[in-house]
Amino acid sequence: VGDELDLVRRIAGWSAATLRSGSALTLGIGDDCAIYSPDGSAEDLLFTTDFLLEDVHFEVATHSAEEAGHKALARALSDIAAMGGDPRFCLVSLAFPKKLGERWAEGFYQGLTDLAKRFGVEVAGGDLARQPRVLVDLVVCGAVVRGGAMLRSGGRVGDGLYVTGPLGASARGLAQRKGKAWDRHRRPEPRVAEGRALREAGVRCAMDLSDGLSMDLHRLALASGLAAEITEVPRDRGATLEQALHGGEDYELLFASGRDVEGMIRIGTLREGTAGEVLWRGKPLRRAGFDHFARG
Ligand SMILES: [Mg+2]
């Protein structure tokens, strides 16, 4: 764990060297989306790109083509939700093996466009290729009122930490391979309306929970330059504490706020301390979240 963070840090350095001063790119690597602020516009544009990889994020044997399409878009929409934005359009690059046939690609697009219509997302284009295993890259563009995006770095000392719902369902579903939790794992629901409502309520710091609370909270605390202490974690029915703390792919939102937000579940507090350190009931919490590179 941490290998991915180290590589991301180095990539961020190489990328920063390409940035021009006065650029309309007002936020680069390090958050759920990049932010582009066109001159004179009342809106900032949000951009995110996400992989959906066979045998990493889904399996052909246990996920239908429709579910793969749904999940590919849902993962990217969750990043727009994390910033409090409205998703506008997407670009879909799909590579899949010949043996799956065109029927699979049709099912994939059915699942993807069903979700796209539900969230008012236009499919603007993409690319298509053959590959031994399914590989999807989903780019989504969203928009948010200028300067209004919720950032991982927006946390302040004393802010409460909150989540939009109980955690651990996706990990439990993956372990059990049946029931509602399994449905939840295969068809995650991006919290777009919740993200927008939080932003409108004045929340300035948020991210989505894709890699597990322990890993993602570390990232939020690090970006905010603070430590985090959590004392409660709401568990989805039947989920273990382990699944709620470390299981990924719940796609709930994690946010920090100086005051309570109605209906949201408080799990802890941001405080002075080593940036990025996460304490669970007073003791350092290991980061066991989903890290693609370390897992390999
Ligand atoms: Mg994210």
Side-chain angles (χ1 to χ4, degrees), residues 32 79 152 208 210:
D32 292 284
D79 282 328
R152 294 180 183 184
D208 72 319
S210 55

Side-chain angles (χ1 to χ4, degrees), residues 192-248:
V192 173
E194 290 83 350
R196 188 187 303 128
L198 291 174
R199 175 177 55 73
E200 287 171 353
V203 174
R204 304 309 312 273
C205 174
M207 72 182 294
D208 72 319
L209 288 169
S210 55
D211 294 345
L213 180 65
S214 60
M215 174 65 74
D216 288 331
L217 179 53
H218 159 71
R219 290 169 175 155
L220 182 143
L222 190 64
S224 291
L226 297 170
E229 168 137 33
I230 49 174
T231 51
E232 302 293 332
V233 57
R235 280 190 251 169
D236 197 78
R237 196 181 357 182
T240 64
L241 181 62
E242 186 78 8
Q243 287 166 341
L245 283 174
H246 305 298

Side-chain angles (χ1 to χ4, degrees), residues 48-59:
T48 179
T49 177
D50 277 89
F51 274 129
L52 183 85
L53 304 174
E54 182 180 345
D55 297 337
V56 176
H57 302 109
F58 81 102
E59 293 161 1

